[in-house]
């Protein structure tokens, strides 16, 4: 049995797991893990759509393997890189509401398919000028804005609280692996007979293929999934806190916007987004101009930080779950600890990176890899905090925070474009890295002050019994003690 550390001898969660079917469902692989795999691949594919322009912008503006190239200036390229986020920001909140109303499966599947179709038009649009590419990137941003709210909505339904760190982080690590894969393969694609247009054609084809698989295999919630056992359905529903009636529940916007915990989460989300997308959009240019790497080396080395982040996600997430489930630290402490690692660690790396030159390529690459890789800590920090605060409204909340944070994704490339007039001048890039480090410092400090990881009162109504069960038995920000005897292990 699991008890509170306060000595109160009542179970942490409902005793229903004593049911042998639920106990069996809590061990081994289940349908929830297959859903997580589908979403992991989906995150990879959607990041192909998102990142292909960051990799392609270099060969699109210089001669490579006979492919067409265009004389776009630094400010033009900055507008292209930021235009994705103009559409991305607009669609966040509507996407969360659409997912809640019509089901995240339908919204996410359609959005991925439409984004795949848009990929095919990029090489054609480039011939008409950079303005046409900007239009396509805005449209791509509009459909991509559905991804995080939809995935969060699905995770809130499918992931038990005791597996939240591992499965949620595993799913979202697809973003890093997708970024790494497209960056590392882009160099070979650019030098192939396809040239840089091939990057967009492959992104589009894979997007359509995944959308078909997702429509076939995915489900909005355990109760509507095929080939799932009754025991696993009961196990998941008893440990998510997301009620089946939440689809018809009104979003408590006023309560959300009056919550200090929400603003702590928002600050952490904004800090991560500024840092992550500054490096994502500008790293290929930095490596090409300052570190003077060729296209193939640039592509491979640009991918290293994202491989590192993806792998570290699978290191930090089980550690986080272990520390929390054993009662070593509270959930709130865990979220703040790992978010601090994920933002203040990269801050230190960026300060060092500001003093690197082309003669110190190795150290610069090491620091870049660490600056992005250590971001993995945030996957067990702010990224799953929406579900901690409100399992029923995690999707709409993600839409709000990701939409506001997306504004920083628009501003960051424009700031870089305003600061960096000479792309080969390390001192100008130093200013960019220092600004990014300062944003990491302030935003995570706000999260430390205001952040929480307990289910909020506005998550539930009197009729949402599963949510009340979780709230009543969840840690009220106290530590939990998990005994080690097999008969008492509930999860």
């Amino acid at each position: 049995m699991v008890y509170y550390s306060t000595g109160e001898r009542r179970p942490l969660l409902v005793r229903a797991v004593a049911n042998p079917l639920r106990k069996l469902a809590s061990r081994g692989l289940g349908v929830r893990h297959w859903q997580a795999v589908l979403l992991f691949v989906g995150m990879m594919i959607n990041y192909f759509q998102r990142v292909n322009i960051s990799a392609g912008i270099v060969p699109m503006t210089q001669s490579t393997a006979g492919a067409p190239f265009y004389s776009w200036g630094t400010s033009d390229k900055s507008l292209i890189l930021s235009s994705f986020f103009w559409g991305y920001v607009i669609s966040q909140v509507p996407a969360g509401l659409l997912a809640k109303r019509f089901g995240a499966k339908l919204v996410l599947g359609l959005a991925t398919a439409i984004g795949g179709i848009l990929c095919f038009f990029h090489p054609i649009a480039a011939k008409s000028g950079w303005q046409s590419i900007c239009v396509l990137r805005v449209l791509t941003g509009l459909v991509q804005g559905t991804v995080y709210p939809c995935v969060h909505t699905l995770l809130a339904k499918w992931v038990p609280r005791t597996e939240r760190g591992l499965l949620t982080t595993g799913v979202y690590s697809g973003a890093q692996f997708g970024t790494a894969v497209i960056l590392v393969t882009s160099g070979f694609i650019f030098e192939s007979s396809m040239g840089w247009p091939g990057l967009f054609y492959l992104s589009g084809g894979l997007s359509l293929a995944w959308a078909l698989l997702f429509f076939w295999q995915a489900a909005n919630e355990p109760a509507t999934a095929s080939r799932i056992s009754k025991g696993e359905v009961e196990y998941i529903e008893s440990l998510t806190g997301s009620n089946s009636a939440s689809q018809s529940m009104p979003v408590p916007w006023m309560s959300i916007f009056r919550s200090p915990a929400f603003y702590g989460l928002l600050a952490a989300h904004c800090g991560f987004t500024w840092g992550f997308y500054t490096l994502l959009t500008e790293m290929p240019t930095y490596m090409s101009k300052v570190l003077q790497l060729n296209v193939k080396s640039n592509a491979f080395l640009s991918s290293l930080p994202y491989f590192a982040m993806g792998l570290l996600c699978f290191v930090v997430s089980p550690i986080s779950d272990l520390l929390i489930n054993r009662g070593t630290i509270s959930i709130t402490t865990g979220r703040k600890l790992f978010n601090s690692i994920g933002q203040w660690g990269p801050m230190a790396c960026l300060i060092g990176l500001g003093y690197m030159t082309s003669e110190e390529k190795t150290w610069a690459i090491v620091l870049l890899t660490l600056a992005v890789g250590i971001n993995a800590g945030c996957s067990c920090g702010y990224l799953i905090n929406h579900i901690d605060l409100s399992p029923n409204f995690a999707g709409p909340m993600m839409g709000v925070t990701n939409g506001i944070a997306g504004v920083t994704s628009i501003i960051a490339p424009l700031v870089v474009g305003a600061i960096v007039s000479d792309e080969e001048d390390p001192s100008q890039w130093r200013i960019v890295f220092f600004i990014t480090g300062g944003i990491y410092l302030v935003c995570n400090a706000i999260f430390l002050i205001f952040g929480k990881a307990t289910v909020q009162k506005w998550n539930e109504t009197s009729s949402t019994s599963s949510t009340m069960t979780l709230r009543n038995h969840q840690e009220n920000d106290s530590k939990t003690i998990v005994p080690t005897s097999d008969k008492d292990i509930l999860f």
Side-chain angles (χ1 to χ4, degrees), residues 253-260 262-263:
W253 291 119
M254 291 303 295
S255 296
I256 290 174
F257 290 129
R258 285 198 297 261
S259 172
F262 169 77
Y263 290 103

Side-chain angles (χ1 to χ4, degrees), residues 396-418:
M397 281 181 64
M398 171 58 85
V400 173
T401 65
N402 208 30
I404 296 174
V407 174
T408 67
S409 305
I410 299 173
I411 297 172
L414 299 178
V415 169
V416 174

Side-chain angles (χ1 to χ4, degrees), residues 3-4 7 72 75 125 191 204 266 306 327 363 428 440 451 466 477 490:
Y3 298 107
Y4 284 110
W72 297 334
S75 60
E191 296 190 350
L266 175 61
Y306 302 98
W363 282 110
Q428 294 183 3
Y440 273 143
S466 69
D477 222 22
L490 301 185

